[in-house]
Amino acid sequence: KHHSFDETTITQCSLDDLDPAAIAEYRRTRGESNPNAAELSYSDDDLMLGLFAASKEDGKLVPTIAGLLLFGKRMAIRRHFPMTRIDYIRVPGREWVRDPDRRFESVELLDPLMMSIPRAINTILDDIPTAFTLPAGSNRRKDVPLIPRTAIREAVVNAVMHRQNL
């Protein structure tokens, strides 16, 4: 059987190299989109198998490349993929080198993708101007980013998926 690159197992790893918080985040976000999703009732081992985040090797479960990148503990990701990270660069002002001593600020995200992608999206949204609305029947304003969250999410996910510089 042919396996994709993402399904390749990392035989030096075990399921102990996966971060329970990242798995819990998957369950939380999956539950928001479909509270009746069958995989929400699976054990963590079965969930990892079902998502191709792990595979059986010599009778034991071993994370795949996709599994480690999505759910891995920081140290395991660093050990096997030391250059894997999301970099977000903030450039103050409209000129590239307005202040030669402070050309840019870099935010480096090193967590598993289940945690890094939402953080990247929120970091970008923090930098985007917002407008506000006052919904009918409410006495509280609602801030709305000028670029929709879904557009930012798609840009980040596509950049990560295709390993592009954005």
Side-chain angles (χ1 to χ4, degrees):
K1 180 184 172 189
H2 174 73
H3 293 284
S4 70
F5 175 74
D6 294 342
E7 293 176 84
T8 304
T9 55
I10 306 172
T11 55
Q12 305 90 343
C13 285
S14 73
L15 291 190
D16 290 338
D17 290 307
L18 302 184
D19 185 348
I23 296 169
E25 179 63 9
Y26 172 83
R27 289 181 183 281
R28 186 190 70 72
T29 58
R30 182 68 175 129
E32 283 179 358
S33 67
N34 181 2
N36 299 315
E39 69 268 22
L40 292 175
S41 66
Y42 296 175
S43 69
D44 285 353
D45 289 0
D46 287 342
L47 179 63
M48 293 299 101
L49 278 170
L51 295 174
F52 294 99
S55 187
K56 286 202 176 188
E57 292 273 328
D58 298 324
K60 70 174 190 165
L61 287 177
V62 178
T64 61
I65 290 172
L68 192 64
L69 292 174
L70 283 166
F71 302 107
K73 292 178 180 173
R74 263 185 164 195
M75 182 54 81
I77 295 170
R78 293 286 88 24
R79 187 171 64 241
H80 295 284
F81 302 103
M83 296 303 293
T84 300
R85 66 181 188 270
I86 297 174
D87 287 326
Y88 174 63
I89 297 174
R90 289 182 176 124
V91 179
R94 295 176 186 226
E95 300 170 29
W96 177 248
V97 187
R98 189 170 72 184
D99 179 356
D101 295 325
R102 190 172 172 258
R103 294 175 187 213
F104 60 86
E105 176 187 330
S106 178
V107 177
E108 186 177 70
L109 304 171
L110 301 168
D111 294 313
L113 293 175
M114 277 307 301
M115 314 295 262
S116 290
I117 289 173
R119 283 188 55 215
I121 293 165
N122 289 333
T123 301
I124 293 167
L125 285 169
D126 287 345
D127 288 339
I128 293 176
T130 57
F132 78 90
T133 62
L134 191 58
S138 176
N139 61 354
R140 292 184 178 222
R141 69 185 261 165
K142 179 180 179 186
D143 290 328
V144 180
L146 294 181
I147 300 173
R149 181 180 190 85
T150 55
I152 300 300
R153 184 189 72 223
E154 288 302 311
V156 169
V157 169
N158 283 330
V160 169
M161 186 169 83
H162 297 292
R163 299 185 304 211
Q164 296 176 351
N165 294 323
L166 186 65

